[in-house]
Amino acid sequence: MGYCPCSEMLQKTVEMLCGKVRNKSIENKNSETKKIKGTVNLMKKNVLDLNDWGASLLDRMYELVGKGVSIQLISAVHGDPANGLRGKLGKAVSLGKWISTPLAVSAGDATLNILFEWDESMGVPGAFVIKNHHHSQFYLKTVTLEDVPGHSQIHFICNSWVYPAHRYNYNRVFFANKTYIPCNTPEPLRKYREEELNNLRGNGSGMLKEWDRVYDYAYYNDLGRPDKGPEYARPVIGGSKEFPYPRRGRTGRPPTKKDPNTESRLPLLNLDIYVPRDERFSHVKFSDFLAYALKSLGQILIPAITSFNQPLNEFDSFQDVLKLYEGGVKLPDGQSLTKLRECVPWEMLKELLRNDGEQLFKLPMPDVIKEDKSAWRTDEEFGREMLAGINPVVIRRLQEFPPASKLDPEVYGNQISTIKRQHIEKNMNGLTVDEALRNKKLFILDHHDALTPYLRRINTTTTKTYATRTLLLLQNDGTLKPLAIELSLPHPEGDKNGATSQVFTPAEHGVDGSLWQLAKAYAAVNDSGYHQLISHWLNTHAVIEPFVIATNRQLSVLHPIHKLLHPHFRDTMNINALARHILINAGGVLEITVFLLNLPWKCLLLFIRAGFSQIKRFLLICSKGMAVPDSSKPHGLKLLIEDYPYAVDGLEIWSAIKTWVREYCSFYYPTDVMIQDDSELQSWWTELRNVGHGDKKDESWWPEMQTRDELIQTCTIIIWVASALHAAVNFGQYPYAGYLPNRPTISRRFMPEPGTPEYAELESNPEGALLKTITSQLQTLLGVSLIEVLSRHSSEEVYLGQRDTAEWTSDAEPREAFERFGRNLVEIENRIMDRNNDKRWKNRVGPVKVPYTLLYPNTTDNSKVGGLTGKGIPNSVSM
């Protein structure tokens, strides 16, 4: 038989294969395939509180034809040379028993078991790939591996919507709850880590869809609707020196037809605004939100309400206002209500009506009038709410008399206060002005400079108001005694001529008493507008959003700072998107109910710019003269008003946060060099400064992020603003401002002059005159309904000191530090309650008998009740 090359090749092949089999047999002696049990906790697609039955049926059909959900474990130890040294992949395993899992009437978790085949030679799994071949998305909560050799359990905290695989051009990867700074990442996981961040950044173009997971930046160019008419056009906020502002999340919607710089808007009833899917409200919270949000949809309700045969009237007396809470305002039936039902689904509209079938617009009783219907009118309560109300961050110590102005005298003339010593010394308990200044006893609520530049334009609208200064004396019992209120208007002969001012002093009876009550109302109107636009919206909601975006773009879920901050970003992008859609947009509820939003927009933006320039200083009570450094005090500060509930409780919360952050950061960053060498951390900080808050990038107060102390201080501020500060300025809105005479948001006429019909009305019917001056009945309904929504805690709130899962990290020391943080907060809760029960501290409860609990952490509350509790610090700006 002759030579056959093919035969020789076949023989060599057989020999080679036999050798491989022998080698494989040898290998199998040293390693073997092990079964690893897994538990998958997920929630199937649903709509509000009910399962989406159509989606469930389609998913079952897909399962029957072999299109299910599969998971592949990824090795954290061994890389695959054929896959760029990414961690080796285990065998794909289908998520079984999907069909046999019962369909519940209400949406809830489903727990499925899975069995992985895992070669022990591949080491420990550090991640997994999941592929969804169903028709519908599902929410993946956790995956837990049992009996992993050498590790017992491995936890994967996912908390993410997984859409069908064809929606992605990449694999969905989830990591175990390990924590690594970038340089310590196991090499087989490094590329997975980098690729996941690239996926979240997107490519900066195109309209984003619900399954996109892209975090990107945009200016506030989505508030106007120029295609509807010039009165609905709004300028772009952010990206310019003229109108600096934080960035918002990008949606990629196309521009409007009439203005290419304005992003088009969705129809009002369409709340499906793009935010990354994992940033959207849960089904429970969205259901809670819808149940109350109708009361804030002014654009829908106004046409129907104003078309009623009997339009809503003015309030004639405070008793008339009380009917909102005790009986309700009767809504007409018939054709007008039918129009309303055409706009709003009946299931949602009925939230506006009483359950007994009466067509009444009834509101919960606000705390400020629960115990005493008139105590809100006292001067003591007026002063107390500057320390323990919903805007306790503006009052400052007066350090010169008369109060000066920082407005340019070349433009605005002489703006020095006209309050004289003879106005106030008669009520200063025997002190002179100089003695009070020297003893740090004089304080001021000053909205004069903030509003003066815009008053001329404001007062061309239906709003008629003043720029106010309110002087107060700190008394020996710790309370603040109002001394005078100055109401200023631009000079009729031009701004360069300064202001024309009136000064009002306390009085209890007669027309002087009525004038004093009106003066307090004008001061409250100023404070309400500043509170909503600056203290609340700008300095919490808008300021935090760039941090949410940058953290997801630049810090991996494996990064320690991502794990630290992530709970404090929950729902922020979603609530901000909804606010842009229905509250601060052109024609939105706030434009109707807050006087400042009646400003021409260019003026309004200049006002906001002035507020934004205070973003750093506003966090520091020392800069307002409210405290002085004192190393002998627990927090290194001595409060000049010892009974200052916001500051007393706030300093304790701040200190607890900072202690927790210091312990956490010190565990992962023992040296400053590690901060400097952390590539993700440095990219995060650079992007935050240059892009997210790019309009303020050149401010001198930015930390350089080169030391651990800078990191600790930065993270403390972020957590404080997102949690405690927002709680302090948000959740007291309904308790205090739900009764609008206490916190009016609009004034509609000037102080009456002697000899006019308005003055005669003030003499004969002071309550009616005041109510005609401040918010109308319609504006009251809209404004109070809005703040009722904003003041409610969700039934699934996660409070400061809580996490939504105990396995948020695998590292024991940070978990123990977090437990200490929780215990510290519980001790603070106890001290807050002790102070509230201590009769020495008059500002803790006040004449209205409302204990100060806005900074009560509520760490131990697991009731999941929610509602108008007036207490509790949620982890994030979530409402």
Side-chain angles (χ1 to χ4, degrees), residues 28-58:
N28 286 340
K29 292 180 180 179
N30 298 319
S31 68
E32 59 183 47
T33 300
K34 181 177 176 60
K35 301 288 187 180
I36 295 179
K37 295 179 181 179
T39 304
V40 179
N41 189 246
L42 54 81
M43 183 174 65
K44 298 177 183 180
K45 181 176 180 285
N46 52 71
V47 178
L48 296 183
D49 286 330
L50 298 180
N51 280 315
D52 185 337
W53 289 82
S56 296
L57 290 172
L58 282 170

Side-chain angles (χ1 to χ4, degrees), residues 303-345:
I305 291 175
T306 54
S307 69
F308 291 163
N309 295 328
Q310 296 295 324
L312 294 170
N313 299 315
E314 296 288 344
F315 293 115
D316 295 323
S317 65
F318 295 137
Q319 185 59 44
D320 219 14
V321 181
L322 289 175
K323 290 179 183 177
L324 287 175
Y325 318 100
E326 294 176 339
V329 174
K330 189 169 178 60
L331 297 178
D333 50 19
Q335 188 176 5
S336 296
L337 189 57
T338 300
K339 290 180 181 178
L340 201 58
R341 291 181 64 172
E342 290 173 356
C343 299
V344 181

Side-chain angles (χ1 to χ4, degrees), residues 590-663:
L590 284 182
E591 283 199 357
I592 298 165
T593 60
V594 177
F595 84 97
L596 276 171
L597 280 158
N598 284 320
L599 266 171
W601 263 78
K602 188 168 184 178
C603 295
L604 174 62
L605 295 179
L606 291 171
F607 175 82
I608 292 172
R609 180 178 71 181
F612 192 37
S613 68
Q614 304 300 316
I615 184 173
K616 177 70 174 177
R617 190 173 73 87
F618 130 99
L619 295 169
L620 307 174
I621 59 175
C622 283
S623 68
K624 297 178 181 297
M626 302 298 289
V628 293
D630 186 339
S631 59
S632 68
K633 297 296 180 181
H635 311 292
L637 290 175
K638 177 184 177 181
L639 292 173
L640 297 181
I641 302 178
E642 191 177 3
D643 187 10
Y644 186 175
Y646 162 75
V648 172
D649 297 357
L651 280 172
E652 291 202 9
I653 299 295
W654 171 278
S655 179
I657 294 171
K658 191 168 186 178
T659 298
W660 148 238
V661 172
R662 180 184 293 110
E663 291 181 358

Side-chain angles (χ1 to χ4, degrees), residues 11-177:
Q11 182 179 358
K12 289 182 177 179
T13 301
V14 171
E15 290 174 355
M16 182 180 68
L17 289 173
C18 289
K20 284 190 174 182
V21 170
R22 285 193 297 271
N23 291 336
K24 187 69 176 177
S25 178
I26 294 170
E27 287 177 10
N28 286 340
K29 292 180 180 179
N30 298 319
S31 68
E32 59 183 47
T33 300
K34 181 177 176 60
K35 301 288 187 180
I36 295 179
K37 295 179 181 179
T39 304
V40 179
N41 189 246
L42 54 81
M43 183 174 65
K44 298 177 183 180
K45 181 176 180 285
N46 52 71
V47 178
L48 296 183
D49 286 330
L50 298 180
N51 280 315
D52 185 337
W53 289 82
S56 296
L57 290 172
L58 282 170
D59 289 344
R60 287 165 181 250
M61 292 173 62
Y62 275 53
E63 282 277 340
L64 290 172
V65 297
K67 293 185 176 181
V69 176
S70 67
I71 296 179
Q72 284 180 281
L73 298 180
I74 301 173
S75 172
V77 179
H78 296 294
D80 183 354
N83 193 24
L85 293 178
R86 294 172 182 82
K88 287 185 176 181
L89 292 168
K91 182 180 179 181
V93 181
S94 294
L95 196 55
K97 296 188 178 180
W98 190 283
I99 295 177
S100 62
T101 303
L103 287 170
V105 173
S106 62
D109 295 349
T111 300
L112 304 175
N113 296 320
I114 191 169
L115 196 61
F116 296 98
E117 292 184 9
W118 185 249
D119 191 334
E120 289 191 57
S121 67
M122 292 173 64
V124 179
F128 66 82
V129 173
I130 188 166
K131 293 182 180 179
N132 176 12
H133 297 291
H134 282 170
H135 169 269
S136 307
Q137 67 270 26
F138 59 87
Y139 186 69
L140 182 62
K141 300 189 78 173
T142 62
V143 174
T144 304
L145 303 182
E146 306 285 351
D147 301 323
V148 180
H151 288 78
S152 184
Q153 286 188 329
I154 295 180
H155 297 280
F156 298 81
I157 310 302
C158 309
N159 291 328
S160 181
W161 285 94
V162 179
Y163 277 76
H166 71 273
R167 295 298 189 188
Y168 306 115
N169 57 8
Y170 53 85
N171 287 328
R172 289 301 311 274
V173 175
F174 292 91
F175 298 93
N177 63 342

Side-chain angles (χ1 to χ4, degrees), residues 402-403 415-420 423 469 486 488 499 501-503:
Q415 294 288 337
I416 296 174
S417 174
T418 60
I419 299 175
K420 307 298 183 186
H423 285 131
R469 290 182 174 114
E486 180 184 55
S488 298
S501 302
Q502 304 174 72
V503 177

